[in-house]
Amino acid sequence: PPDFEATYRRHLLTAYEQDLRIMPGVRAVLDTRAVDVSLATSSSAARLKRSLELVGLDCVFAGRTTTASEAPSTAARVVPVRARCRPTCPARWSGLRPGC
């Protein structure tokens, strides 16, 4: 159907709203990392943004994500991943040091 993709994405985000949870131990790993990390995904920008918000990691990866729509179409090319300093995060993420 013509609206398949939009319907699929709407249903997926609804399921995420209800059931998406962060994996145990991820926050501890991110709190203790010695280097900054970036995130690259084949997800859409909207899906990535909402997923990170739902699990409370949006501030951790703010400005340091790359989605499929931003990457080259040829798999052999290097994907331009954004690597920047960690931003200051809200109080809910107290383990991260503010700034760079």
Side-chain angles (χ1 to χ4, degrees):
D3 65 339
F4 173 80
E5 185 176 0
T7 301
Y8 158 77
R9 290 182 189 277
R10 188 174 61 252
H11 287 285
L12 180 66
L13 290 178
T14 298
Y16 279 13
E17 295 280 342
Q18 297 169 357
D19 298 320
L20 187 65
R21 303 290 179 266
I22 192 169
M23 291 173 41
V26 168
R27 287 185 178 169
V29 169
L30 292 173
D31 275 346
T32 59
R33 71 191 188 276
V35 296
D36 292 326
V37 294
S38 294
L39 189 137
T41 180
S42 61
S43 295
S44 68
R47 179 176 166 186
L48 173 62
K49 179 180 183 297
R50 189 62 188 138
S51 297
L52 291 174
E53 289 170 350
L54 289 169
V55 297
L57 296 179
D58 49 320
C59 65
V60 175
F61 293 101
R64 295 182 295 114
T65 63
T66 301
T67 63
S69 63
E70 300 168 311
S73 59
T74 305
R77 295 182 190 156
V78 175
V79 176
V81 177
R82 293 176 183 86
R84 297 187 184 119
C85 295
R86 263 176 263 167
T88 302
C89 292
R92 71 172 185 212
W93 195 269
S94 60
L96 295 178
R97 64 182 190 271
C100 300

